Amino acid sequence: MPDTTTPSVLFVCVHNAGRSQMAAAFLTHLAGDRVQVRSAGSAPADTVNPAVVEAMAEVGIDIAAEVPKVLTAEAVQASDVVITMGCGDTCPVFPGKRYLDWQLPDPAGQGVAAVRPIRDDIEQRVRDLLAEITPTSRT
């Protein structure tokens, strides 16, 4: 790929307590410093969903210290790819950004058993995204 800059991805959902937190954690875990990762919510919750924290811990990713963050225009402007997960029309749109909308069930109010399939779906989508936005290299 001719572009050697580090791609940046912003994951957005309403509360930044479930789907976007899982997606950001998977991308950070899988990509390391090859991708800049952000997550935010249009109406952030006070804490990350405990069932989401537990489901991620089951796959070896600790997000217990994460805190939901408010969506800002600056975060969108600083990102190459913006992935929304149910934030509707509250996500600002800027020219030159790539927008994807991932239709995923909301884990809010769900137990860990209901969160697992959402987690696994997000992991696969993140793996596909990573393969698409980063050059392949085998180490």
Side-chain angles (χ1 to χ4, degrees):
M1 295 177 94
D3 186 1
T4 58
T5 61
T6 303
S8 58
V9 178
L10 170 64
F11 294 101
V12 182
C13 66
V14 175
H15 300 295
N16 190 222
R19 296 166 288 188
S20 57
Q21 289 284 350
M22 287 190 282
F26 273 123
L27 187 54
T28 299
H29 177 76
L30 295 168
D33 61 0
R34 294 183 295 153
V35 178
Q36 293 177 351
V37 182
R38 298 175 183 84
S39 72
S42 54
D46 293 329
T47 60
V48 175
N49 179 334
V52 167
V53 172
E54 183 178 343
M56 293 301 287
E58 290 177 352
V59 295
I61 300 175
D62 181 5
I63 63 168
E66 293 298 325
V67 177
K69 295 164 280 306
V70 68
L71 175 65
T72 65
E74 293 77 22
V76 176
Q77 287 177 308
S79 302
D80 299 312
V81 181
V82 179
I83 299 175
T84 58
M85 303 175 203
C87 74
D89 296 331
T90 61
C91 188
V93 176
F94 294 97
K97 305 293 172 193
R98 179 176 173 203
Y99 291 89
L100 300 171
D101 185 41
W102 289 357
Q103 297 293 320
L104 295 160
D106 188 347
Q110 303 292 322
V112 71
V115 173
R116 286 182 189 117
I118 302 168
R119 174 201 66 200
D120 296 344
D121 187 357
I122 289 171
E123 179 182 11
Q124 187 56 56
R125 291 172 188 242
V126 167
R127 287 180 181 279
D128 293 345
L129 175 71
L130 182 60
E132 183 183 323
I133 65 173
T134 59
T136 55
S137 61
R138 301 279 182 229
T139 54

